[in-house]
Amino acid sequence: MALQGVEQTILRDPALFDPNRHPPPLRHRPHEQPPKPASTLAESRERLALIRGVNLRNNAHAVLSKESFEMRKTYLVSAYQSGAFLKNPDQRGQPPANPMTDPAGMEAMMGMMKGNMMMMIPQTLIMSWINAFFSGFVILKLPFPLTIRFKSMLQSGVMTRDLDVRWVSSLSWYFLNLFGLQSVFGFILGSDNAANHMAQQMSSMNPAAGINPFQPGQDPDKLYQSEAENLEVMEHFCILDGVPERVLRHYADHKSY
Amino acid sequence: MTQNTSYAQFENGPGLIATFHHAQKAPIILRRQPHTEKGLSSSLGDNLPEPENYGELEQLMFSCLQSGDDKSALLCIEQLSSRFGVFDAKVAGLRGLFEEATAESEPSLEECLQKYDLAISENPVNLPILKRRIALLNSLSRPMEAISNLNKLLEAVPTDAEAWCELAYLYRSQGMSPQAVYCLEEALLIVPYAWNIHALLGETLFSSALLSDLNESCQLLERSIRYFCRSVELCTDYLRGFYGLLMATSLLGEKRLQNHSKDHLSPQRSSSWTSTNFTLDELTLFARKRLDDIVRHRSSHYQLWKGDQGDLIAAKELLRGIDSS
């Protein structure tokens, strides 16, 4: 039984406290995959035409007079709706073929299954390896006391009934980090942080050529249609209206330039 | 293309003198570069190469080419290609630029063109090479071909503000102002806070106002004044913007007077703000005063504005001309 009021200590190798022996902290540097650059001009057009619409929507009020805006709006809306920017306009509107019916789809499915199995088997192996490797020793001591209920959470892999709950076993620590930190990262760093694996492919923009607004599997035509709708409901106003008066007033207020 | 000249300009001011000064630093910069490479290999990871170093090399190359130091320029390219590989699109573009600049006769330029064609047939979205090809077409005095090629490029890459600006230059050189205006507007949609492009748009509108009839030119001038105003709103001591504002407002004032005396009888078609001459006069005065201030300030700080003397002299001339009239 643990003695009440006496702090429990474990005999540790003094070498553990030698700061020179600690491995340098690993830099978190996820290797980023920039989106695959377009391989033909038509593909590049398909990607960037959407950004053009977004630019128009965001910046038109800062630049364009009413006529120029209406002209661009009409052009872009009709081009989006007619699919003029699509890479292959002939395939427009056709749903992606049902993978169950045609043999090529079947093969693709099998490929996917194989891929999944390829993922599953190493996962199982890694899990059992971690279980064997990480179990059986404690890795840190919490600076605050906890009730006995936390024992199962913090000391999995260490079958010691007497050990103070403040000692955390390595297996518990591993799982706590694995499952607990994802949302913490999301909270602190924002939803598109580098530690978030989902967001990895969106980061690192290569100017112009590398940008791809489409997620894999997304139908560009649908995005075009919705962008056309966005543009259609846009009201025009322009900050260039009344800019002379604004400039005069602004400089009258700040004579000290 | 614009990018080739603009990089050096942003750093050093537009003057050729500044470019020469920069090019004279070539031995120092070139000697420094290999050290960082060594530093990288000795302590892995800690001493990452500064991306600015390579930007600096690129700029140095432009300066060297402009001032005729071809050897240093070639050294710059070699260092860049040892880092990024010979087949990197941008490095290939720079090498192409170098070959064009050092080509001595028309046939060798044609040879460059064929090389570009070959590179493009291998990779149709090799943007640096595509752009070089367009620039080369223009310098071979085939501007219409350059324009149509650039249009094709922009269809595929409509988010490249630099390319839109270049197309605007090409159109302007062919006297096609409305098209140039369209291109500049497109560029502004991508970089809406670029005061230099606002001023450039104002200038384009101004120059097309000079060539059109009275009514239309009044409208164009009004538009141009708005863009100049926006430009100086974004940058409070932008000499070029104030220069344009002064030119445009005084010209519009004159046109107004002409218009007024001409169609005394018919009612004026009123347009937005400028139906009041009051604001216009105020704007002219304001632009003149600001320009005066800027010129005085910059003349007293010669060292700071050494690179911008051309602008300054032009502004002084304009002010003198207005004072004397």
Side-chain angles (χ1 to χ4, degrees):
Chain A
M1 282 301 262
L3 283 174
Q4 294 294 313
V6 178
E7 206 182 335
Q8 212 177 30
T9 51
I10 292 181
L11 185 65
R12 282 162 287 182
D13 186 345
L16 279 175
F17 300 103
D18 182 2
N20 294 331
R21 305 194 68 172
H22 283 209
L26 288 173
R27 279 262 280 293
H28 182 86
R29 208 185 290 153
H31 75 163
E32 290 162 356
Q33 297 172 312
K36 201 168 156 271
S39 59
T40 60
L41 289 177
E43 199 178 339
S44 156
R45 182 183 65 182
E46 184 181 77
R47 292 175 181 185
L48 296 175
L50 188 70
I51 296 179
R52 194 177 177 190
V54 176
N55 275 342
L56 179 67
R57 204 148 43 82
N58 289 337
N59 300 332
H61 62 89
V63 179
L64 295 180
S65 64
K66 188 155 178 64
E67 302 87 62
S68 342
F69 171 71
E70 291 297 336
M71 180 177 76
R72 283 180 171 79
K73 183 169 126 179
T74 324
Y75 165 66
L76 279 181
V77 166
S78 68
Y80 283 149
Q81 283 176 344
S82 68
F85 293 136
L86 290 175
K87 191 169 49 176
N88 343 306
D90 328 331
Q91 290 174 15
R92 177 170 169 248
Q94 290 171 4
N98 186 357
M100 288 315 224
T101 47
D102 62 331
M106 246 354 232
E107 235 160 70
M109 289 280 274
M110 276 310 282
M112 237 185 317
M113 287 271 270
K114 275 180 204 155
N116 272 348
M117 286 312 279
M118 291 288 276
M119 289 296 286
M120 290 271 274
I121 293 168
Q123 282 285 348
T124 336
L125 284 178
I126 287 173
M127 277 304 282
S128 53
W129 178 75
I130 281 172
N131 218 341
F133 185 76
F134 277 96
S135 64
F137 60 94
V138 294
I139 195 165
L140 77 159
K141 186 181 177 191
L142 295 174
F144 45 84
L146 284 168
T147 55
I148 199 80
R149 285 266 175 187
F150 284 93
K151 209 170 168 63
S152 60
M153 185 173 127
L154 296 180
Q155 292 182 355
S156 55
V158 182
M159 311 294 182
T160 319
R161 211 153 50 90
D162 288 353
L163 196 62
D164 191 352
V165 188
R166 290 167 71 176
W167 294 98
V168 180
S169 78
S170 56
L171 191 62
S172 301
W173 186 239
Y174 173 80
F175 280 112
L176 282 178
N177 283 343
L178 189 68
F179 297 120
L181 283 184
Q182 205 61 261
S183 53
V184 178
F185 282 148
F187 179 67
I188 298 172
L189 304 174
S191 57
D192 51 349
N193 62 68
N196 191 341
H197 297 274
M198 296 303 176
Q200 245 181 45
Q201 56 205 18
M202 289 303 287
S203 55
S204 151
M205 288 282 170
N206 188 7
I211 302 175
N212 187 1
F214 306 120
Q215 302 290 326
Q218 232 169 1
D219 185 5
D221 191 42
K222 288 214 177 95
L223 286 177
Y224 282 154
Q225 299 301 339
S226 72
E227 186 57 41
E229 263 169 42
N230 286 343
L231 281 176
E232 262 174 349
V233 296
M234 230 180 113
E235 294 272 337
H236 176 259
F237 74 98
C238 184
I239 57 170
L240 290 174
D241 296 337
V243 65
E245 287 88 350
R246 203 166 64 227
V247 167
L248 284 176
R249 209 170 45 235
H250 176 76
Y251 278 90
D253 292 347
H254 305 267
K255 285 268 184 233
S256 57
Y257 283 117
Chain B
M1 309 233 33
T2 37
Q3 61 177 22
N4 304 329
T5 47
S6 60
Y7 274 118
Q9 284 180 6
F10 287 142
E11 270 300 285
N12 312 303
L16 259 182
I17 305 169
T19 314
F20 278 125
H21 279 300
H22 190 218
Q24 277 167 359
K25 288 186 209 143
I28 307 170
I29 299 174
L30 283 173
R31 214 177 314 130
R32 199 168 60 213
Q33 224 63 35
H35 283 293
T36 54
E37 288 283 335
K38 248 180 248 162
L40 171 72
S41 53
S42 63
S43 60
L44 261 174
D46 278 350
N47 205 352
L48 286 172
E50 304 287 327
E52 297 93 54
N53 280 347
Y54 296 109
E56 201 182 349
L57 265 184
E58 193 187 348
Q59 272 181 22
L60 181 69
M61 193 210 117
F62 295 139
S63 300
C64 287
L65 273 185
Q66 269 178 300
S67 48
D69 186 0
D70 295 342
K71 270 185 205 159
S72 305
L74 192 61
L75 278 178
C76 292
I77 296 180
E78 270 162 14
Q79 289 200 6
L80 283 173
S81 47
S82 72
R83 168 66 183 79
F84 297 102
V86 190
F87 296 106
D88 181 76
K90 196 163 178 181
V91 173
L94 289 178
R95 195 171 280 277
L97 175 69
F98 175 79
E99 278 165 13
E100 278 174 53
T102 49
E104 283 174 358
S105 57
E106 196 122 318
S108 49
L109 281 179
E110 295 283 351
E111 215 171 278
C112 285
L113 198 62
Q114 281 161 9
K115 260 189 215 167
Y116 292 156
D117 284 337
L118 189 70
I120 291 166
S121 65
E122 277 165 20
N123 173 12
V125 260
N126 192 339
L127 288 182
I129 294 286
L130 279 169
K131 289 182 172 182
R132 284 277 11 119
R133 186 166 179 274
I134 291 159
L136 181 56
L137 282 175
N138 191 35
S139 47
L140 284 170
S141 30
R142 288 166 22 195
M144 291 328 275
E145 230 174 295
I147 287 178
S148 67
N149 271 301
L150 191 48
N151 265 318
K152 232 182 277 166
L153 173 72
L154 276 169
E155 204 173 285
V157 196
T159 50
D160 189 337
E162 255 175 10
W164 280 113
C165 286
E166 182 65 21
L167 187 58
Y169 278 118
L170 286 176
Y171 274 132
R172 249 177 91 163
S173 71
Q174 300 304 304
M176 297 156 88
S177 295
Q179 284 84 347
V181 169
Y182 177 90
C183 295
L184 288 173
E185 282 175 346
E186 280 295 328
L188 276 177
L189 282 177
I190 301 160
V191 279
Y193 300 112
W195 56 81
N196 55 343
I197 300 182
H198 272 105
L200 199 60
L201 183 48
E203 284 162 24
T204 312
L205 287 165
F206 179 84
S207 53
S208 62
L210 291 176
L211 301 172
S212 31
D213 63 9
L214 202 58
N215 249 335
E216 205 187 329
S217 88
C218 278
Q219 272 178 313
L220 285 169
L221 281 173
E222 280 169 22
R223 274 176 76 190
S224 130
I225 288 171
R226 278 193 221 167
Y227 284 109
F228 280 128
C229 281
R230 178 71 180 149
S231 145
V232 299
E233 188 183 33
L234 288 167
C235 177
T236 50
D237 63 345
Y238 190 43
L239 189 132
R240 199 165 172 147
F242 282 107
Y243 187 102
L245 187 59
L246 183 53
M247 295 277 283
T249 45
S250 29
L251 185 66
L252 184 60
E254 283 170 31
K255 297 255 171 181
R256 276 283 164 69
L257 280 179
Q258 285 174 30
N259 213 358
H260 206 64
S261 56
K262 207 175 75 181
D263 37 32
H264 227 343
L265 306 171
S266 62
Q268 280 258 352
R269 359 181 271 77
S270 67
S271 53
S272 54
W273 60 277
T274 29
S275 45
T276 55
N277 272 335
F278 175 66
T279 334
L280 186 65
D281 292 342
E282 228 179 320
L283 262 183
T284 319
L285 271 179
F286 156 73
R288 192 170 147 195
K289 193 177 160 302
R290 268 307 283 159
L291 200 58
D292 211 28
D293 287 351
I294 295 173
V295 166
R296 213 164 330 121
H297 180 258
R298 293 197 182 176
S299 312
S300 59
H301 295 82
Y302 175 75
Q303 277 302 319
L304 268 178
W305 298 99
K306 220 165 37 181
D308 274 339
Q309 287 302 308
D311 286 6
L312 209 54
I313 292 166
K316 275 182 193 163
E317 279 299 312
L318 177 71
L319 287 171
R320 199 180 304 145
I322 287 176
D323 283 339
S324 62
S325 66

